Amino acid sequence: LPLGSPKKVSFKMSIKLPSPDTLSFYRRLLKTMMVTFDGDVVSFHRARIEARKKIMENKDLTDEVDIQEKIFFGEECRDFLLSNVIQANMQENGHYKLKIRKDH
């Protein structure tokens, strides 16, 4: 090839993705975690990594009943995050200031 002419390279990667329902649930879960851990990047990042790990562990499921059971369990976890997890920041005086949302 003459110098300066681009060489075309193509790659085919075969990556198995979770089902569309699972991906849709994952997006809802991410939005929930963004609300729950607003301003707490470390907690959000840890929760996101754990959620992704669990979803990828089950990406090869093909039985629709099993998939829907996992999504149902995930939705219960998502609801728990929204209604039961409260952020608290320690103030200079040693007391905690709670960040309560209207969902609580």
Side-chain angles (χ1 to χ4, degrees):
L1 288 170
L3 211 71
S5 58
K7 182 179 178 183
K8 288 191 175 188
V9 178
S10 65
F11 294 98
K12 285 194 173 191
M13 294 180 69
S14 174
I15 298 174
K16 171 83 169 111
L17 294 174
S19 73
D21 287 345
T22 303
L23 292 175
S24 179
F25 160 72
Y26 183 62
R27 284 189 294 274
R28 287 191 306 276
L29 180 59
L30 285 175
K31 289 178 185 176
T32 298
M33 289 187 299
M34 283 190 280
V35 168
T36 302
F37 302 116
D38 183 34
D40 187 350
V41 177
V42 173
S43 294
F44 171 76
H45 185 64
R46 286 180 181 162
R48 184 186 61 80
I49 288 171
E50 187 63 27
R52 187 172 195 273
K53 183 175 87 174
K54 291 295 183 190
I55 286 174
M56 294 310 284
E57 284 175 4
N58 295 295
K59 72 177 190 256
D60 294 324
L61 286 179
T62 55
D63 182 26
E64 192 61 32
V65 173
D66 287 343
I67 292 170
Q68 291 305 317
E69 284 177 357
K70 300 279 186 195
I71 292 173
F72 181 78
F73 177 74
E75 288 291 352
E76 288 181 334
C77 293
R78 195 175 75 80
D79 289 341
F80 181 86
L81 281 174
L82 278 176
S83 58
N84 295 308
V85 176
I86 297 174
Q87 286 183 301
N89 296 315
M90 184 181 279
Q91 304 299 303
E92 289 180 13
N93 62 6
H95 294 103
Y96 285 92
K97 181 177 181 183
L98 298 178
K99 191 174 183 182
I100 299 175
R101 297 182 317 276
K102 64 180 179 176
D103 302 334
H104 289 111

